[in-house]
Amino acid sequence: MQIIRSVEQMQKTAEALRLEGKILALVPTMGFLHEGHLELMRVGKSHADQLMISIFVNPTQFSPTEDFDQYPRDTEGDIEKARQVGVDIVFMPEADEMYTPGAQTSVLVHRVTQHLCGRSRPTFFEGVTTVVCKLFHIMKPHIAVFGQKDYQQLTVVSRMVMDLNMDIRIIGVPTVRDPDGLAMSSRNNYLSPEERKSALSLKKSLDLADEMFNAGERDPAIIKKAVEAFIENHPHARIDYVSLCDPVTLEDLETLENENLLALAVWIGKTRLIDNRLIRDKKE
Ligand code: PAF
């Protein structure tokens, strides 16, 4: 497994592999790898000759009040896990290698970034699309793999790839959960045992909405109210948003369709967690 820290070396390596005719898959990460990331890597590996990952805690996607400094990091552990999964190349640049001083260019996807997390994190997606676009230019993948847990991020990146005619196939991978149902996230590490119990309300509220929909409820306001009441009944839980929205535009729905996205962001103590489910008629 090769570990590359410089942009120039990464570009040369990717170019050489492409000239050899190799298919390159990329899993972009911010490190502190867990089973969810490893699953993305396995999927990437199954589609490519060379599996590349990036480990970079991207400062431009954190606002000044967010947890950039506290974001968990474990470089040695990450390298060991990447090795075990069979990663071929790890790209691990420093921040000043990724962002040249005086940089004044960013990538902004306009509409799908306005909803859900975009409301409370207005600069987040611009940071994500800018860094992902840069990683695509530096690492030159044919395929890039993202988790469906970050449904809006997957939507925004797919939109960017489509709008900017990037010749990259985006693959979305279903959310990996702990045995108790909690969606895997590096931020779960912040939760105390008590908070973790409350964090299960996210997944359980998705189950509740699913049951209501499949029992025939089609009023999004009624389902939303039940989900909010369920979550708020748990200690430490404070809702950022609960949205029943169109799975493509992410706009709130006034009546439910055959396929709807239920997306949640909930503060559990000082930790903001997200989860989502496509709510659809199981009989169809
Ligand atoms: O999902 C993440 O870990 C990050 O947002 C990403 C895609 C690696 C960009 O920094």
Side-chain angles (χ1 to χ4, degrees):
M1 187 174 80
Q2 247 182 298
I3 297 177
I4 300 180
R5 294 174 196 277
S6 102
V7 167
E8 193 185 342
Q9 196 197 339
M10 185 64 242
Q11 280 176 319
K12 282 190 179 147
T13 306
E15 188 58 26
L17 288 166
R18 274 186 165 247
L19 287 172
E20 281 174 36
K22 302 277 194 249
I23 301 294
L24 312 183
L26 167 63
V27 179
T29 82
M30 299 209 297
F32 207 71
L33 302 178
H34 51 66
E35 188 51 37
H37 295 112
L38 305 187
E39 182 60 16
L40 304 183
M41 293 177 202
R42 287 183 203 109
V43 171
K45 201 166 173 64
S46 71
H47 285 86
D49 302 314
Q50 289 279 305
L51 174 60
M52 312 184 290
I53 69 166
S54 58
I55 299 181
F56 180 62
V57 184
N58 172 35
T60 66
Q61 68 191 71
F62 291 79
S63 78
T65 58
E66 290 178 347
D67 56 344
F68 175 70
D69 289 330
Q70 291 85 44
Y71 196 82
R73 291 161 171 90
D74 176 18
T75 307
E76 274 179 32
D78 287 348
I79 290 173
E80 189 43 40
K81 285 175 189 154
R83 209 185 294 282
Q84 279 171 16
V85 164
V87 170
D88 298 290
I89 296 173
V90 182
F91 178 52
M92 288 179 49
E94 293 295 332
D96 54 2
E97 178 70 7
M98 273 304 269
Y99 291 102
T100 38
Q104 42 186 300
T105 305
S106 67
V107 179
L108 178 59
V109 175
H110 291 270
R111 285 194 298 281
V112 282
T113 54
Q114 306 285 303
H115 313 290
L116 309 181
C117 292
R119 292 199 187 108
S120 52
R121 304 184 75 192
T123 56
F124 170 68
F125 287 112
E126 187 171 358
V128 169
T129 39
T130 301
V131 82
V132 169
C133 180
K134 283 162 74 68
L135 289 168
F136 286 174
H137 283 117
I138 297 165
M139 304 184 74
K140 308 177 198 280
H142 299 90
I143 294 160
V145 188
F146 292 83
Q148 289 170 2
K149 193 201 127 225
D150 300 304
Y151 187 100
Q152 190 174 15
Q153 171 170 277
L154 175 61
T155 304
V156 170
V157 169
S158 304
R159 190 75 241 179
M160 171 185 78
V161 164
M162 210 186 311
D163 291 352
L164 299 183
N165 307 96
M166 294 174 167
D167 192 9
I168 299 174
R169 177 173 162 214
I170 302 296
I171 298 180
V173 174
T175 304
V176 179
R177 295 179 183 278
D178 277 324
D180 60 8
L182 186 62
M184 288 196 181
S185 162
S186 304
R187 289 192 169 100
N188 293 350
N189 196 48
Y190 299 145
L191 299 171
S192 69
E194 276 301 303
E195 288 173 338
R196 201 189 151 92
K197 282 187 206 149
S198 288
L200 298 181
S201 64
L202 277 83
K203 149 81 166 60
K204 288 181 186 162
S205 73
L206 298 176
D207 294 342
L208 171 69
D210 227 350
E211 279 162 27
M212 290 176 78
F213 184 80
N214 275 288
E217 183 56 66
R218 290 294 181 273
D219 183 342
I222 291 179
I223 297 185
K224 206 175 138 181
K225 219 167 154 193
V227 166
E228 286 171 349
F230 182 85
I231 295 172
E232 277 162 358
N233 209 15
H234 289 73
H236 315 288
R238 183 168 54 83
I239 292 170
D240 178 1
Y241 66 77
V242 170
S243 172
L244 264 161
C245 60
D246 180 286
V248 177
T249 65
L250 309 186
E251 281 165 18
D252 282 333
L253 290 168
E254 288 189 1
T255 47
L256 295 179
E257 312 288 342
N258 287 343
E259 188 168 79
N260 315 277
L261 177 72
L262 173 58
L264 317 169
V266 180
W267 287 95
I268 302 290
K270 292 198 165 101
T271 308
R272 184 176 175 280
L273 300 177
I274 56 173
D275 206 342
N276 67 77
R277 169 99 45 96
L278 282 172
I279 305 280
R280 52 164 86 94
D281 199 333
K282 298 218 169 42
K283 289 181 271 294
E284 280 181 8

